[in-house]
Amino acid sequence: MNAIADLLITCKAIEFGDFTLASGAKSRYYVDIKTAVTHPEFLEAIAREIAKRYTFDVIAGVAVGGVPLAVAISLAAKKPFAIIRAEEKDHGKKSLIIGDVKGKEILLVEDVTTSGSSALYGISVLRNAGAMANRVVTVVDREQGAEETLKKQAVDLIPLVRVSEIL
């Protein structure tokens, strides 16, 4: 098993029970990366791993789960980050993106992918803003269709851990 998978287990990021996922699907387990990244050693390990493996101009994350990951990776890689809002605000600049992405190569980071809808939303927002976005790194892929969904839009899904490695 890889080091990130070991840390997921150590941080108790996998819980068993009856859960409803963001996609609406029911599951007997929940992958809680949002809580796991509150542990500095886990967040730092993920950030270091992604920063050393991938090249990009800007790291981006969809609020809420991708934001702490994007910030940590930004610090580890010494590269800018961008935040993709879940919805447009009706005040201020009203932009869906905080950060400069136009014409830049973006690496989108996700905490967990299931159907791929959140990642696809992030990629779409980035592309509409003039960014080059065709890769998504996810901490855990639940292996429930995200890879296929993204591939249809010419996007590569790169999981640090597949759920089958830790269940």
Side-chain angles (χ1 to χ4, degrees):
M1 194 176 310
N2 72 39
I4 301 297
D6 289 341
L7 280 169
L8 283 166
I9 292 166
T10 301
C11 292
K12 297 178 175 38
I14 310 296
E15 296 178 42
F16 295 92
D18 293 313
F19 301 96
T20 301
L21 306 177
S23 65
K26 302 291 183 191
S27 179
R28 304 290 292 155
Y29 65 93
Y30 185 72
V31 182
D32 189 2
I33 302 300
K34 289 171 189 68
T35 300
V37 298
T38 66
H39 297 271
E41 68 279 2
F42 182 70
L43 183 58
E44 182 180 34
I46 291 169
R48 275 196 322 261
E49 189 68 22
I50 293 172
K52 79 176 180 186
R53 275 198 208 179
Y54 306 104
T55 60
F56 53 88
D57 297 323
V58 176
I59 186 80
V62 177
V64 163
V67 174
L69 294 166
V71 172
I73 296 162
S74 168
L75 292 168
K78 306 226 181 309
K79 301 272 183 122
F81 71 93
I83 298 169
I84 301 162
R85 290 183 168 144
E87 58 188 40
E88 194 172 274
K89 300 292 181 191
D90 61 358
H91 59 279
K93 291 185 176 181
K94 301 182 184 182
S95 177
L96 282 172
I97 300 175
I98 301 167
D100 180 20
V101 299
K102 187 174 184 175
K104 306 247 170 56
E105 181 184 349
I106 309 298
L107 181 62
L108 182 66
V109 65
E110 284 274 16
D111 55 348
V112 178
T113 49
T114 303
S115 68
S117 60
S118 174
L120 196 55
Y121 165 76
I123 290 290
S124 175
V125 169
L126 288 163
R127 287 176 173 174
N128 288 339
M132 294 173 284
N134 61 7
R135 295 176 301 157
V136 175
V137 172
T138 185
V139 177
V140 177
D141 180 26
R142 290 180 58 99
E143 301 175 283
Q144 293 180 311
E147 188 170 14
E148 296 78 12
T149 297
L150 292 167
K151 193 170 287 300
K152 289 177 187 172
Q153 299 299 318
V155 178
D156 293 326
L157 178 66
I158 308 158
L160 295 182
V161 178
R162 295 180 190 279
V163 79
S164 58
E165 295 177 72
I166 52 178
L167 288 183

